[in-house]
Amino acid sequence: MVRSMHDFETVTPDVWRQNEEQWKERLFKLPNWYKIPLINSNASHNLSDGTLARFRGMVQDMHNPEFYFEEFEVFNTITNEVKTKSGKYTDTSSILENEKINYTENLKSAQRQTMVVVSLPGLNEWAQKVEDDKNHLSHLNDQPNTSKRLNTTNLKRSYEDCEEDSNAMDVTVAEIGKKEAKVADKAIEPSNIVSREHLLNFPLPDVASKSCIIKIYDDSENLKINDMVEVVGFLSVDPGLSGEFQPENNAFMEPSDETQAETITHNPPPSLVPRLHVVYVKKLEHCNPLVTDANQENMPVESNAARDHLLKALTELLLGDELAAQYLICHLIACVYLRQDTITLGQFCLNLSNLPIKRYPNYAKQLYDVIKQFVTKSYYLPLTVDNMNTMALLPKKDYDCNRLTSGILQLSKHTHLVLDETQMQQGQLDATGVNNIAALGNLIKLQKVEYDFKYYKMEFDSDISVLVLSEGKSLLPSDYHVPLRPEKSSLDIFDAIVEAANYYLKEEIMNSIRIYLTSLKLVKYSISDDLQFVEEDFIEMRSKSDDDNPVSADDLHRLLVLARLVSLSRGLDTLNKECWDITKKMEEERVIRLKNRVAPF
């Protein structure tokens, strides 16, 4: 087994190509992938060019296909020897000074799909720490720094040879017309160098992130924007790939359809954005590093204990309000489970109102700071007038750079977005602010995010759990509105409650809650054939309805969505009479609160 792992540490693109299927089969059988360096948890400059590495993240953008030489012959002018070389799984190929490309025959070109993958937006600190503990390889710190220029002489000479002899080939094996990795002595002027933030293009502002350009050779990989993936591939970190080293072309002799901004954006420094030539893609259903197949199987047995811990903690943090805590648990395990035509089922936007911000102005942020310890991915967004007027929530196509500029709402599935409306002060929303509020409403109601392609708009499906925290009823729509009913005794000691909660929630309890919340999103829930009790109750509810208390099919739908989550939260994968009765009681109490509102505390 050690020998097998050693093979993966030393395999090269040339060796892999000789027997790809066998290598892939061995990769699948590898007991763990932790020994294959994960770029998210290791500095890329400590990884060697041309070795296997991994990257985990979200597909942020897709570029045009890239053409390259899959096979080509080189002729040695001294020995008259002819060799066949390949550009697969690499950006560069070492063409010796006395070797020339045969462009007239036995030249096979192909194309590869290029995508930008960013580290998972909103991944919380605890999850990143677990990942780093598993995947950080300390011995890599002793590796030579690969950010130094590789084969500088060869690169430079190849470019000069290419100018002198049209039959010579630059070391780059990507499409010659684009010259994506040629190197010249003269870099572009500093005024044209774009910012680090521009190159990383991360959806969430002021959040540490990594980015990677992946190159995929298998057409069957059906990846979409915002998919979560883990890829294994050959690392390419030659500094010569950077757009900063692109030669100044003669526009008349060598016209290009790329602007300089596009060239730099699509070819960032590999030290900042490494490349991976992918040999395997794994789509991720979740990104919780604590969840394994084993603890998923045990979840129905262990869910009640985890739920009890979570209910106790949330009830305390919600100032003794157990009903609000029950709805919040349902919200935390909710996700979209069915899309059919224009119908989306499973969204559960929760509006918790009546927050005690007069006594505790930062209550919403303090509540979020605890929630982010439970969930794997989340983001806190204060709904201030300034934020709404200035923030880019929606992704937008940048035609100058030919890329999708990310926005805050470009998030992978199962991300928890917490909107703090208690921060809203008086002010005027401009056109951007109005559009941003509309975008949030569209996300809540339809679980869709509209991407702006300037000449047209395109809706992308999303699966983002939205929690709205407000003083009065939110200006945004919601599926369930629960006004908080704090106990006076809890109001007086809230700071002590937060401190006690942090003490109570030991690492072992926290991890059981984290596994619980993720696993329940993955459970296959089934509808029992015997739901006569639901039918009978709905008929009775309709018979008692009047103008003051109308009952519609929407009410039944709301009850069934909530009942599904009540059942799942108790470790059940189908609805029974007990969970149905609990659901009805929760909704009855919630509706009564809405009719008998009390003044904010």
Side-chain angles (χ1 to χ4, degrees):
M1 197 62 69
V2 174
R3 171 66 182 161
S4 177
M5 190 60 243
H6 178 71
D7 289 348
F8 283 100
E9 292 173 353
T10 57
V11 64
T12 63
D14 286 337
V15 172
W16 185 281
R17 281 192 299 266
Q18 290 170 14
N19 202 335
E20 290 195 40
E21 291 307 315
Q22 185 180 359
W23 277 107
K24 284 182 182 179
E25 188 177 334
R26 292 174 66 185
L27 181 66
F28 299 152
K29 292 179 179 178
L30 208 60
N32 67 64
W33 285 6
Y34 300 136
K35 298 296 183 182
I36 299 176
L38 182 69
I39 296 172
N40 309 71
S41 300
N42 298 277
S44 60
H45 64 254
N46 287 333
L47 306 178
S48 299
D49 188 76
T51 58
L52 280 182
R54 293 180 294 140
F55 191 81
R56 187 178 298 131
M58 179 190 79
V59 178
Q60 189 275 321
D61 196 8
M62 296 182 175
H63 293 164
N64 292 330
E66 178 182 276
F67 290 88
Y68 71 100
F69 291 155
E70 186 174 11
E71 284 185 8
F72 58 94
E73 287 183 349
V74 293
F75 173 71
N76 191 309
T77 57
I78 296 177
T79 65
N80 293 330
E81 183 183 6
V82 175
K83 289 182 180 178
T84 299
K85 296 192 175 185
S86 174
K88 193 175 183 181
Y89 300 131
T90 184
D91 284 303
T92 61
S93 182
S94 54
I95 307 300
L96 302 179
E97 184 177 359
N98 54 325
E99 290 182 333
K100 291 187 178 181
I101 295 283
N102 181 355
Y103 284 100
T104 58
E105 55 187 18
N106 299 325
L107 183 66
K108 181 182 178 183
S109 64
Q111 67 179 32
R112 52 198 179 198
Q113 181 64 53
T114 304
M115 302 181 188
V116 179
V117 179
V118 296
S119 48
L120 292 165
L123 188 69
N124 281 319
E125 190 177 329
W126 69 263
Q128 186 61 61
K129 184 179 184 305
V130 174
E131 287 283 19
D132 290 345
D133 290 345
K134 283 184 178 180
N135 293 287
H136 180 67
L137 302 175
S138 56
H139 72 272
L140 293 176
N141 296 333
D142 301 326
Q143 296 279 84
N145 190 318
T146 59
S147 63
K148 300 183 180 69
R149 175 73 61 81
L150 302 179
N151 300 324
T152 305
T153 305
N154 282 346
L155 286 168
K156 180 181 176 183
R157 183 177 296 114
S158 295
Y159 172 62
E160 291 170 347
D161 289 347
C162 186
E163 286 197 318
E164 293 169 5
D165 186 345
S166 61
N167 289 332
M169 181 191 180
D170 183 48
V171 293
T172 297
V173 292
E175 182 188 13
I176 295 299
K178 297 184 77 173
K179 290 186 170 58
E180 287 196 351
K182 285 187 178 179
V183 177
D185 288 331
K186 184 177 179 182
I188 60 172
E189 295 299 319
S191 60
N192 292 324
I193 297 176
V194 296
S195 71
R196 174 189 175 92
E197 290 72 22
H198 172 91
L199 291 173
L200 287 174
N201 195 23
F202 199 59
L204 303 179
D206 305 320
V207 177
S209 66
K210 288 191 176 184
S211 183
C212 182
I213 295 174
I214 67 171
K215 304 192 178 187
I216 297 178
Y217 296 81
D218 188 347
D219 293 336
S220 66
E221 302 291 357
N222 186 26
L223 296 182
K224 303 188 294 295
I225 292 285
N226 302 337
D227 276 351
M228 293 189 293
V229 296
E230 180 173 356
V231 298
V232 180
F234 286 100
L235 185 67
S236 181
V237 287
D238 188 331
L241 300 172
S242 174
E244 293 180 15
F245 299 115
Q246 297 298 309
E248 289 187 354
N249 294 335
N250 182 316
F252 178 75
M253 298 294 293
E254 203 171 2
S256 172
D257 58 356
E258 274 191 357
T259 64
Q260 195 171 49
E262 182 180 347
T263 298
I264 299 168
T265 300
H266 284 229
N267 300 279
S271 57
L272 181 65
V273 184
R275 282 68 158 161
L276 271 184
H277 292 263
V278 176
V279 298
Y280 181 65
V281 178
K282 181 197 291 183
K283 280 190 183 181
L284 302 177
E285 286 303 308
H286 70 87
C287 59
N288 186 335
L290 297 173
V291 173
T292 63
D293 291 340
N295 56 33
Q296 268 188 265
E297 290 174 5
N298 295 331
M299 183 40 56
V301 178
E302 299 172 356
S303 59
N304 285 332
R307 182 184 179 279
D308 289 344
H309 288 305
L310 183 57
L311 182 62
K312 181 178 179 181
L314 291 180
T315 299
E316 291 296 321
L317 291 164
L318 293 170
L319 304 167
D321 190 338
E322 186 172 328
L323 180 70
Q326 289 178 314
Y327 273 92
L328 185 51
I329 289 175
C330 290
H331 165 78
L332 293 176
I333 64 173
C335 63
V336 173
Y337 61 86
L338 179 67
R339 292 184 191 274
Q340 199 167 39
D341 299 326
T342 59
I343 299 173
T344 303
L345 300 180
Q347 71 263 35
F348 194 101
C349 175
L350 177 63
N351 174 204
L352 290 179
S353 67
N354 210 39
L355 270 56
I357 61 169
K358 288 186 173 62
R359 292 189 64 174
Y360 300 100
N362 294 320
Y363 177 84
K365 180 63 165 64
Q366 288 176 284
L367 179 61
Y368 169 75
D369 286 340
V370 177
I371 290 174
K372 75 177 182 181
Q373 297 297 322
F374 299 140
V375 299
T376 312
K377 293 175 297 180
S378 63
Y379 186 66
Y380 169 79
L381 179 59
L383 292 187
T384 63
V385 172
D386 184 58
N387 279 348
M388 290 298 96
N389 287 343
T390 59
M391 280 187 161
L393 295 192
L394 299 178
K396 186 175 183 179
K397 181 72 173 182
D398 180 344
Y399 286 94
D400 291 332
C401 296
N402 192 22
R403 66 101 177 258
L404 183 66
T405 300
S406 61
I408 288 174
L409 295 186
Q410 189 178 7
L411 301 169
S412 58
K413 67 178 182 180
H414 302 169
T415 303
H416 293 263
L417 179 63
V418 178
L419 305 177
D420 185 358
E421 209 174 289
T422 68
Q423 299 296 313
M424 183 74 81
Q425 303 292 330
Q426 285 189 340
Q428 185 70 37
L429 289 175
D430 60 18
T432 299
V434 171
N435 289 337
N436 278 338
I437 293 292
L440 290 172
N442 200 47
L443 167 66
I444 289 168
K445 288 187 292 185
L446 305 174
Q447 280 298 318
K448 292 180 182 292
V449 175
E450 197 173 64
Y451 288 32
D452 183 359
F453 287 85
K454 190 174 180 179
Y455 307 108
Y456 62 94
K457 305 288 176 69
M458 182 181 292
E459 285 187 330
F460 283 74
D461 292 339
S462 61
D463 187 0
I464 301 169
S465 298
V466 183
L467 174 63
V468 186
L469 303 175
S470 59
E471 188 175 12
K473 186 179 186 300
S474 172
L475 59 89
L476 292 166
S478 63
D479 299 300
Y480 299 84
H481 173 207
V482 181
L484 211 58
R485 286 285 177 88
E487 294 177 351
K488 188 176 186 311
S489 58
S490 297
L491 266 174
D492 295 335
I493 57 168
F494 176 63
D495 291 332
I497 287 173
V498 173
E499 190 175 334
N502 289 328
Y503 178 79
Y504 169 71
L505 295 167
K506 303 293 188 187
E507 193 71 14
E508 184 180 349
I509 293 176
M510 290 293 280
N511 285 345
S512 69
I513 291 172
R514 292 160 178 167
I515 293 169
Y516 166 82
L517 292 176
T518 298
S519 297
L520 293 184
K521 291 178 185 285
L522 307 174
V523 171
K524 301 298 183 185
Y525 180 84
S526 58
I527 303 293
S528 169
D529 293 334
D530 182 20
L531 287 180
Q532 188 174 351
F533 54 89
V534 173
E535 186 179 342
E536 289 173 352
D537 280 352
F538 185 61
I539 292 171
E540 184 180 349
M541 289 162 60
R542 289 294 296 265
S543 67
K544 293 179 180 178
S545 68
D546 53 37
D547 292 341
D548 295 328
N549 299 286
V551 176
S552 66
D554 288 340
D555 295 298
L556 176 61
H557 171 70
R558 189 180 293 107
L559 277 169
L560 288 172
V561 169
L562 183 59
R564 174 181 180 273
L565 298 169
V566 168
S567 302
L568 288 172
S569 70
R570 286 163 171 78
L572 304 173
D573 61 2
T574 190
L575 179 60
N576 61 26
K577 182 72 164 60
E578 181 186 358
C579 288
W580 176 250
D581 289 340
I582 292 170
T583 302
K584 287 195 303 174
K585 185 178 178 184
M586 286 173 62
E587 273 294 87
E588 287 168 7
E589 190 175 339
R590 185 182 72 87
V591 171
I592 289 171
R593 281 194 189 186
L594 292 175
K595 291 179 179 178
N596 303 288
R597 297 190 189 177
V598 296
F601 291 84

